Amino acid sequence: MTDTQNQGGGGDSRDGGDAFVSAFHAVGADYLFCSSGSEWAPVWESLARRHRDGEPAPEYLDLTHETVAVGMATGYGLLERRPQGVLLHAAPGLLQGSMAVHGALLAGVPMVVASSESTTYGDGPGQDPGGQWYRNLSIVGGPHHVAQPFTKWANEAASIHTLPTMITRAAELSWRAPAGPAYLNIPLEILLQEWDGREAKPIVAPGSTHSSPEEVDPVARSLREATNPVIVTETAGREAGGFAALVAFAEAWGIPVVEPDSAVCGNFPRTHPLHAGSDVGPWLDEADLILLVNCRAPFYPPSRRPAKAKVVVIDQVPQRPHVVYQALFADTYLEGDVAHTLRQLAKRAGDLDETSVAARRAAQEQRHAAEQAAIAAAETRAAETTDGIDPVLVAATLRRLLDGRDGIVVDETITHSRVVKRHLRTADPDAYFYVQGGLGQGIAVALGVKLAARDRPVVLTIGDGAFAYNPVIPSYDAARAYDLPLLIVVFNNRVYKSMNLNHRRFYPEGAAAETGEWLGTDLHRLPRLAAFAEPFGMHTETVDTPDALAPALERALKAVTEGTTAVVDVLVTR
């Protein structure tokens, strides 16, 4: 440590704030996503000094809601796949952001989430942490105990001497499979303590794990012997190189690929002849070999096991620790790196029974042709509807407008999610993501995706109910403050449709059906949803006729291209 670093009185003595920033720089975090709390003054001081002195540090984002901070880290991590830093305020901030942290856990996104508490409550030596910790912010056992159920790992950095290494450890744990958020409670008193300058060691990417030839070869034999195999995948495209590896594997063996409704990202080109739609049901009776590739919940109900198929699970961590109940019916596990395993299996696709392969290719061609015809017919009907805007028309119009633009779609719809996936027909890796873990995060996740892909148009498709759950004002503030223009398309049917459908399904002849009193579902009372963006100078449109839809979306996309977030509220018929 230099004399300058040790000097006091001038405000340049190093403390836990500097240890914190130094550690996140060593971790390789590009950003610190912060929803402000009074514990972070030492970090802000360190950043200010580093900016003044030209020293390196992660870029700091000053955000006004916990869900926005965590959601943006999630969206950024979906593309970058490296741990970032998230700063929340004490236990209340952690609780406010907990749904988004849980969403990051489900999405498999690495990050280090930190918040604080006090350990002295003003009775110890040194600077006074403030009475708010004693009166309002303390929590029995510390916030790391609160975080345990919805994080991969949660602990406390109880000493300034271990703080940098604890941050390193949290980042390394979050990055390893299954990737997900790690949490650190860093008491304010630790952040204010003098730091001796011992820095954290930079971390490197996790080493890869490989299934051995002794494990892969028997699966290749099973593939060679199968007459009607199928691949089912939910998140193969989330793995680095997984999208391309799955395409190469499916093509080498001529095996259809099903992306069930539980798929939460683009895993395989929906335009590819081997894409077999989203319905797993028929395969449970017909397939003789099912390959579950990164598929945590393939069967519903879970007890609906395949009639005759052997099941091969290809997943680095097939038994997900955070999944409460999971039924895979596996006969074989290949637990190495998924992309590597798929590439190894693709290399073994020799000496195939050409008659058998030709038969299943012909059957898949028929399925694919039927699906394309059904999609075209649905879009024709939607285009011919004159009494309102069919959701199919919205998705099909977006597909046409995004063609050739290398766009990314983030989806937070519920009743329209199948329509969005089916008619957008994304064909590229990292082109589609579904928001996980609960409604109300979509705008923030889309902002994080845009942060990682500034040169690509990012579209958020969202229902009106989900829109109402989002912290809209803080999200728009972040979009404007950090120049992150989005196209937000609201599928607005003026109702919590999924809730209403469940009520009708459970009580088809109940009192509500008799009287028309459907509680908990009506959203007609909400004001114009696009109007919330007007104070931020954003482009806004409300559309209720089919002929106005395409021009409105074209104008909105043009505004986004020119750097302004656009919100198009589409009043759909269902």
Side-chain angles (χ1 to χ4, degrees):
M1 187 181 296
T2 66
D3 291 340
T4 302
Q5 289 173 313
N6 273 320
Q7 69 187 16
D12 279 347
S13 59
R14 304 297 175 93
D15 59 17
D18 254 307
F20 182 98
V21 175
S22 173
F24 271 101
H25 175 64
V27 162
D30 302 314
Y31 292 95
L32 297 175
F33 300 85
C34 182
S35 175
S36 296
S38 53
E39 64 264 51
W40 298 121
V43 171
W44 298 332
E45 179 63 20
S46 173
L47 289 169
R49 186 191 55 73
R50 287 168 180 262
H51 295 160
R52 182 197 67 190
D53 297 345
E55 296 179 8
E59 187 171 343
Y60 175 85
L61 299 185
D62 207 351
L63 306 166
T64 54
H65 196 280
E66 292 85 353
T67 297
V68 177
V70 182
M72 286 185 66
T74 298
Y76 189 82
L78 286 171
L79 269 68
E80 294 297 332
R81 300 177 172 89
R82 294 180 288 104
Q84 306 299 312
V86 178
L87 286 64
L88 305 178
H89 176 41
L94 175 64
L95 290 169
Q96 180 71 48
S98 60
M99 182 185 69
V101 178
H102 179 246
L105 180 69
L106 297 183
V109 172
M111 64 179 68
V112 179
V113 181
S115 71
S116 192
E117 63 177 351
S118 174
T119 55
T120 66
Y121 306 106
D123 279 342
Q127 298 195 54
D128 179 9
Q132 72 273 19
W133 298 95
Y134 177 55
R135 301 185 188 102
N136 300 316
L137 298 178
S138 64
I139 189 165
V140 175
H144 48 293
H145 290 292
V146 173
Q148 285 174 349
F150 51 85
T151 58
K152 185 179 175 184
W153 176 84
N155 215 321
E156 178 183 16
S159 167
I160 185 63
H161 305 296
T162 60
L163 174 59
T165 303
M166 286 291 278
I167 291 172
T168 298
R169 174 166 166 74
E172 289 183 329
L173 283 166
S174 76
W175 207 353
R176 262 89 188 147
Y183 171 79
L184 265 183
N185 167 26
I186 308 174
L188 176 56
E189 288 85 349
I190 302 299
L191 290 169
L192 289 167
Q193 281 185 11
E194 184 178 352
W195 175 46
D196 62 11
R198 285 181 289 181
E199 295 185 344
K201 181 183 182 299
I203 65 171
V204 296
S208 60
T209 59
H210 293 170
S211 296
S212 69
E214 290 78 12
E215 295 169 312
V216 175
D217 288 341
V219 173
R221 285 195 297 271
S222 296
L223 284 165
R224 200 168 286 112
E225 295 165 359
T227 59
N228 195 23
V230 65
I231 298 164
V232 184
T233 183
E234 292 175 337
T235 60
R238 194 170 66 192
E239 307 298 326
F243 191 98
L246 182 58
V247 172
F249 169 59
E251 289 178 342
W253 291 91
I255 304 176
V257 177
V258 174
E259 289 185 285
D261 291 333
S262 53
V264 294
C265 64
N267 304 289
F268 195 83
R270 286 188 168 261
T271 55
H272 197 288
L274 287 174
H275 196 286
S278 61
D279 189 2
V280 179
W283 297 95
L284 298 183
D285 296 325
E286 300 169 5
D288 58 354
L289 182 64
I290 297 177
L291 300 114
L292 302 180
V293 182
N294 264 34
C295 200
R296 68 184 188 273
F299 313 121
Y300 191 83
S303 58
R304 190 185 178 192
R305 65 192 312 152
K308 59 184 178 181
K310 289 187 175 180
V311 176
V312 176
V313 174
I314 301 174
D315 194 323
Q316 192 169 358
V317 187
Q319 296 295 339
R320 305 293 169 86
H322 59 270
V323 176
V324 176
Y325 181 65
Q326 191 178 17
L328 300 177
F329 302 120
D331 295 290
T332 302
Y333 287 107
L334 292 179
E335 298 188 37
D337 176 83
V338 169
H340 182 272
T341 299
L342 294 175
R343 287 191 287 265
Q344 292 307 305
L345 285 169
K347 291 177 181 178
R348 288 163 167 78
D351 301 324
L352 302 181
D353 183 339
E354 295 302 329
T355 301
S356 177
V357 172
R360 69 173 176 253
R361 283 187 183 276
Q364 172 56 24
E365 287 173 3
Q366 290 183 344
R367 281 189 294 267
H368 187 72
E371 172 66 2
Q372 300 315 300
I375 289 173
E379 293 181 0
T380 298
R381 289 193 300 272
E384 293 173 348
T385 299
T386 58
D387 59 350
I389 302 175
D390 191 296
V392 169
L393 182 63
V394 183
T397 304
L398 279 173
R399 183 189 70 234
R400 177 174 62 81
L401 292 176
L402 290 174
D403 185 38
R405 293 176 177 263
D406 193 25
I408 304 173
V409 175
V410 177
D411 186 24
E412 196 178 29
T413 61
I414 297 296
T415 53
H416 299 119
S417 61
R418 295 179 184 178
V419 168
V420 169
K421 283 192 282 191
R422 190 184 192 204
H423 293 277
L424 279 175
R425 301 179 67 207
T426 53
D428 300 310
D430 291 341
Y432 170 83
F433 298 101
Y434 189 79
V435 177
Q436 297 182 69
L439 297 176
Q441 310 169 61
I443 306 177
V445 172
L447 287 170
V449 168
K450 182 65 177 179
L451 185 66
R454 287 185 176 273
D455 295 333
R456 300 173 66 180
V458 176
V459 179
L460 172 67
T461 52
I462 186 170
D464 52 328
F467 183 90
Y469 284 136
N470 272 256
V472 174
I473 301 305
S475 298
Y476 287 168
D477 171 66
R480 186 175 66 174
Y482 296 106
D483 191 21
L484 300 170
L486 304 175
L487 171 55
I488 300 174
V489 180
V490 184
F491 286 66
N492 189 346
N493 56 10
R494 283 79 74 202
V495 65
Y496 281 123
K497 190 71 172 181
S498 63
M499 303 178 193
N500 184 253
L501 289 173
N502 273 342
H503 192 158
R504 293 173 183 270
R505 178 162 61 95
F506 297 146
Y507 302 97
E509 299 178 1
E514 179 183 345
T515 64
E517 185 182 13
W518 301 105
L519 300 175
T521 63
D522 185 19
L523 294 176
H524 281 86
R525 66 180 184 270
L526 292 179
R528 289 191 306 117
L529 299 184
F532 292 98
E534 291 173 359
F536 293 89
M538 296 173 175
H539 181 94
T540 65
E541 305 219 18
T542 300
V543 187
D544 59 3
T545 60
D547 59 350
L549 176 64
L553 290 175
E554 287 173 351
R555 288 190 295 270
L557 195 56
K558 182 175 184 292
V560 172
T561 302
E562 293 172 350
T564 301
T565 289
V567 183
V568 181
D569 184 14
V570 184
L571 307 185
V572 293
T573 56
R574 55 187 172 91

